[in-house]
Amino acid sequence: GAVVSQHPSWVICKSGTSVKIECRSLDFQATTMFWYRQFPKQSLMLMATSNEGSKATYEQGVEKDKFLINHASLTLSTLTVTSAHPEDSSFYICSARPNRVLTATQYFGPGTRLTVL
Amino acid sequence: EDKVVQSPLSLVVHEGDTVTLNCSYEVTNFRSLLWYKQEKKAPTFLFMLTSSGIEKKSGRLSSILDKKELSSILNITATQTGDSAIYLCAVEAIGGTYKYIFGTGTRLKVLA
């Protein structure tokens, strides 16, 4: 139990295009989901906290107009990287916090590797 | 500003050695401390610690939290090459909404 999926696993796109990444909790509901970014050999950096039915909370320095987050249901959050540029290339990981008590307080998706040419 | 610091940043040991990884934190509205192991993809959960002084064990791994010292250690005994990974420490805080602050990670390499 407590599986989080992400789609796609990896994506290559041209500069200027937009890319949508989906994060789904498969067997539990999650009012709160998180989006992280990870550069090579570095730790996870929290980008934003996504709350079902309300606006996401962005961390300092993260442009909300560039990284659009939608959390339309208790099992799905999406991150759209708008007008992507090469510097947006990174590993994006989502996690979901179960509404009910489980072993851990957040479960991670497998990540999406984005490469912008 | 909330922060989580891990040490060492990197560690190379031989199979059979015991390692201790450290995590210290300065976080407002602390709720729990979590340890994760990250290999090639997303982190996998190891332990969640909420109470000071209570050791959690899973096989060769164990961890304990010291709320007075604002720190935690992760021990791995009889290391194996499969333990090679980045070990991440995260602190869960709650202040209106939940938030996780991650440390820099410790990169462990176990040589055969």
Side-chain angles (χ1 to χ4, degrees), chain A residues 36 38 43 97 105-106 108-109, chain B residues 31 36 38 42 92 100 103:
Chain A
Y36 296 89
Q38 188 174 34
S43 188
R97 193 178 197 288
T105 57
Q106 66 169 334
F108 286 93
Chain B
R31 188 170 186 275
Y36 294 90
Q38 185 177 25
E92 180 189 24
Y100 295 87

Side-chain angles (χ1 to χ4, degrees), chain A residues 1-89:
Chain A
V3 178
V4 176
S5 70
Q6 269 185 253
H7 176 81
S9 298
W10 57 272
V11 56
I12 301 173
C13 68
K14 288 185 178 179
S15 195
T17 60
S18 293
V19 174
K20 182 188 277 190
I21 303 170
E22 291 186 351
C23 177
R24 290 182 189 271
S25 55
L26 299 184
D27 50 2
F28 63 93
Q29 293 184 329
T31 299
T32 304
M33 291 187 177
F34 303 91
W35 287 95
Y36 296 89
R37 186 172 179 177
Q38 188 174 34
F39 292 104
K41 298 187 179 181
Q42 292 189 27
S43 188
L44 300 175
M45 183 192 80
L46 179 65
M47 296 174 66
T49 303
S50 167
N51 295 294
E52 187 265 339
S54 63
K55 289 183 181 179
T57 304
Y58 289 82
E59 295 300 301
Q60 198 170 8
V62 178
E63 296 176 59
K64 60 183 178 184
D65 294 331
K66 179 159 185 67
F67 298 99
L68 299 178
I69 290 172
N70 184 283
H71 193 153
S73 78
L74 290 172
T75 58
L76 173 65
S77 175
T78 60
L79 168 70
T80 302
V81 183
T82 62
S83 187
H85 289 287
E87 57 265 29
D88 298 324
S89 299

Side-chain angles (χ1 to χ4, degrees), chain B residues 2-55:
Chain B
D2 293 335
K3 64 179 179 181
V4 176
V5 178
Q6 288 184 248
S7 64
L9 290 179
S10 186
L11 192 57
V12 180
V13 299
H14 286 95
E15 271 194 319
D17 288 348
T18 294
V19 297
T20 299
L21 310 182
N22 300 285
C23 175
S24 63
Y25 61 90
E26 290 177 31
V27 174
T28 309
N29 299 319
F30 172 94
R31 188 170 186 275
S32 67
L33 186 144
L34 304 104
W35 284 96
Y36 294 90
K37 178 182 181 182
Q38 185 177 25
E39 295 173 90
K40 295 199 173 159
K41 287 204 169 180
T44 53
F45 171 77
L46 294 175
F47 299 110
M48 182 172 77
L49 305 162
T50 53
S51 302
S52 210
I54 298 174
E55 186 184 52

Side-chain angles (χ1 to χ4, degrees), chain B residues 36-110:
Chain B
Y36 294 90
K37 178 182 181 182
Q38 185 177 25
E39 295 173 90
K40 295 199 173 159
K41 287 204 169 180
T44 53
F45 171 77
L46 294 175
F47 299 110
M48 182 172 77
L49 305 162
T50 53
S51 302
S52 210
I54 298 174
E55 186 184 52
K56 292 218 171 174
K57 278 181 78 77
S58 176
R60 295 176 293 102
L61 277 68
S62 64
S63 184
I64 195 162
L65 174 66
D66 186 337
K67 282 187 175 178
K68 192 176 173 186
E69 295 295 324
L70 304 182
S71 65
S72 173
I73 59 170
L74 174 69
N75 276 319
I76 309 175
T77 59
T79 52
Q80 302 171 357
T81 54
D83 296 326
S84 297
I86 298 173
Y87 290 84
L88 295 167
C89 169
V91 171
E92 180 189 24
I94 178 165
T97 59
Y98 294 100
K99 188 173 178 175
Y100 295 87
I101 303 105
F102 278 82
T104 48
T106 293
R107 184 178 291 271
L108 173 65
K109 187 169 179 66
V110 182

